[in-house]
Structures are given as C-alpha cells and as structure tokens.
Amino acid sequence: QVQLVESGGGLVQAGDSLRLSCAASGHTFKNYGMGWFRQAPGKEREFVATINWNNGRTDYADSVMGRFTISRDTAKNMVSLQMNSLKPEDTAVYYCAAVSLWDPTTAIIEESEYDYWGQGTQVTVSS
C-alpha cells in the first residue's frame, strides 16, 4: 500500500524559503505522477505543482510559478517542493499526493485524479 509522509513545514516570514519533502513507500512509482496540493483555512484544497516520475515533466499553478520548484529523487523515493519568496497567502496545509498515470508521459493537475494522499504539513507565512 502506498504511503506518503510529508515533512518540512513550519513558520516563516514573508520572503523566506522553505523546502517540503514527501517520502513515498509501498510501491514502485514508475508510471506515477506526484503532486503537491494545499488547503488554506476556509478554502478548498487547490493544486500547487506536479511532476511525472518517469520523465520529470512538471506543471505549476499560476500563483506559484517562478517561486516554487517541484523535484523528485527516484533513488530515495522522495518528492520535494522548494518554496521561495513565500507570501502570507501561501499559508496552508500542504499535501503530497500520488496518481497512477494512464499516459506515462503526462502530468496531472486535477485533484480528483489522485489516488493516494499524505497527512499534510502546515506552512505558515507571517507578514
């Protein structure tokens, strides 16, 4: 069974950087997509970034483009989200998720497509 465990959240100031990690286990992640989503208080969960495990193809939400970078370490079964120039509006619980790809070359941004989810890690950005 797939298990995803996030780490790296915390309290930072606006303009700071933070790196989130997601340790994936229980499966071979070939032909999987890995994503990061977030949910702010009182809001619905939203897409942040995704990466194709096979080819490294990425996609980002417009709100984080140029500030966040998603990457994967296939040897360690780890997915990371480097977050730079953080803003108060980035405050949310961040979730790691995994999806089995029907097209092994694509990147999935739809939340409903994802099969597995971590427990989330809190990121708070103060102004």
Side-chain angles (χ1 to χ4, degrees):
Q1 182 172 349
V2 173
Q3 287 190 319
L4 305 172
V5 180
E6 303 97 333
S7 62
L11 172 63
V12 297
Q13 292 186 331
D16 285 352
S17 298
L18 205 58
R19 187 177 183 87
L20 304 182
S21 296
C22 174
S25 62
H27 202 277
T28 300
F29 290 94
K30 181 181 178 180
N31 297 333
Y32 267 71
M34 307 297 289
W36 284 96
F37 292 78
R38 67 186 181 186
Q39 187 168 21
K43 296 187 177 181
E44 294 186 352
R45 190 157 56 187
E46 65 177 3
F47 166 75
V48 175
T50 187
I51 188 166
N52 182 300
W53 193 267
N54 299 334
N55 58 22
R57 173 181 171 177
T58 60
D59 202 353
Y60 296 91
D62 289 343
S63 59
V64 307
M65 186 82 70
R67 299 189 298 124
F68 291 11
T69 302
I70 188 172
S71 61
R72 90 273 194 231
D73 185 330
T74 57
K76 297 181 179 179
N77 270 11
M78 190 82 71
V79 178
S80 297
L81 185 69
Q82 177 66 41
M83 305 185 295
N84 298 330
S85 303
L86 282 162
K87 306 175 181 179
E89 51 264 44
D90 294 318
T91 295
V93 177
Y94 283 70
Y95 297 91
C96 177
V99 55
S100 178
L101 300 173
W102 53 268
D103 177 352
T105 66
T106 194
I108 303 295
I109 67 171
E110 294 84 4
E111 178 185 350
S112 61
E113 298 283 342
Y114 281 77
D115 305 304
Y116 304 99
W117 293 84
Q119 82 288 349
T121 185
Q122 176 70 46
V123 172
T124 304
V125 185
S126 64
S127 57

